[in-house]
Amino acid sequence: MKQADLKQPETSSGIPVELVYRAEDLEGFNAAAMVGEPGEYPFTRGIQPTMYRGRLWTMRQYAGMGDAEESNKRYKFLLAHGAGAKSRGGLSVAFDLPTQIGYDSDSPLALGEVGKVGVAIDSLEDMQRLFDGIALDTISTSMTINATASILLALYVAVAKRTGAKIKELSGTIQNDILKEYIARGTYIYPVTHAMRLVTDIFAWAAEEVPEWNTISISGYHMREAGCTAVQEVAFTLADGMTYVQAAIDAGLDVDAFAPRLSFFFNSHNNLLEEVAKFRAARRMWAQIMREHFGAKKERSWMLRFHTQTAGSTLTAQQPENNVVRTTLQALAAVLGGTQSLHTNGFDEALSLPTENAARIALRTQQILAHESGVAQTVDPLAGSFYVESLTNEIERRAEEYLATIARFDLGGKYGMLRAIERGYVQREIQNAAYEYQQTVDAKEAIVVGVNEFASEQEVAVPIQRIDEALEGRQVERIRALRARRDAGVHAATLACVEDAARSGENLMPRIVEAVEAMATVGEVADALRRVFGEYRESVVV
């Protein structure tokens, strides 16, 4: 077959892929300036000079189910099997939907959802049970929580105080990325302006109280899960990041005081080399944004530090064992791209929360990559590849076009991304990308093994994780018993202080900490803020 007869393939972002890449494809490319050395601006090759030769990425497995006791067992299981080995132990907490949107387990709106997609946390007592027997100042804890991030961080700090942990040495991350909730995920509570205030209150408070804590994980992951392309994931994530930085500056914070604690959260998808190039492009772009646009002076302020999770949306219910291979390829892309921490999905997660066996295989996948594959032995091993460097440049170019478009939504202002979200531009771009991809699957232009090709006539059932239905009743009984025995006067006074701080503009975090220490529940603190801020109402975008 002649080369002219071959159909030109494209990456998931629609970037045409040439049959062969040569030096002329990088004509005018200044490798010293655009690639540089690891640990040096613009950090294309990684944020540390030695990367995994000095320290492996943190193996941070996302887990949470049922009540605090069940999740505590899973955390101890993961730590015992090497999660975070050769680094500070790494846990990642998944919360149930009521906790994420500020409802207690006994709320009528929580009925049927308690403990289903994560752990149910209503109070300080629940948080104590969740981390029972785990020294908080010896591990790094990531919490996937956004609208109620301030409350869950306050609970974590309160538990640390009670157990005698050194508060200034607490290490971890709260997601706290509310903008992507309005774009793709939906677990918002308050109108955007008030939600952004909570974000910057956390920035300011944490810089003093928990200086080792990452106060936000700016997340492209969920936008990718909703169907965006690799280019869109870079562009929209960095646009969100720019919005948070600008909001913090406008709130009076010095950029170099909070920027070193910013972190990011990316998806790792199936197109191996496009994903590697995506991570490299994002690092280079963020370094330029922070140094040139925001005028940050500290090198750590220029560094894009990120966590990666393999792509849940690529997991198939059909032939679920194939997902082990998908996850391995995605994990390899994250490591080749220089991630700081990584979660690998369980092969059964298209069917349920992962079983212990699936969670063990997912963790072992990372350990095999780290210790048997050789990829950790040298930094940025694909640097200099004509294709990878060309793809890195093209992702950057296309992402910059998106950033320019977004900036035009607020001409003369600094909040183009907020306006773009309000007008539905970002949501439409993601919806269109998801629709176009599904069309290629339906037409078999994109092959999904076991789904639209290579299907099995008879599927083999795999064991799945089931949540005890009696758990919800027990959790409701716990929270009602707590309300009956706490000091009602102190509890009411602290909630009144939360409301007063919300009205006055005072930083909310000290008041929220006081409230949870007085046994105010997650739902009660969220309701105190609802009474002042109101609730966000979504505009339908088509």
Side-chain angles (χ1 to χ4, degrees), residues 108-120:
L109 293 174
L111 185 64
E113 291 292 344
V114 175
K116 288 295 173 65
V117 300
V119 61

Side-chain angles (χ1 to χ4, degrees), residues 346-359:
F347 71 86
D348 55 0
E349 288 192 59
L351 301 167
S352 69
L353 294 175
T355 60
E356 275 196 1
N357 180 52

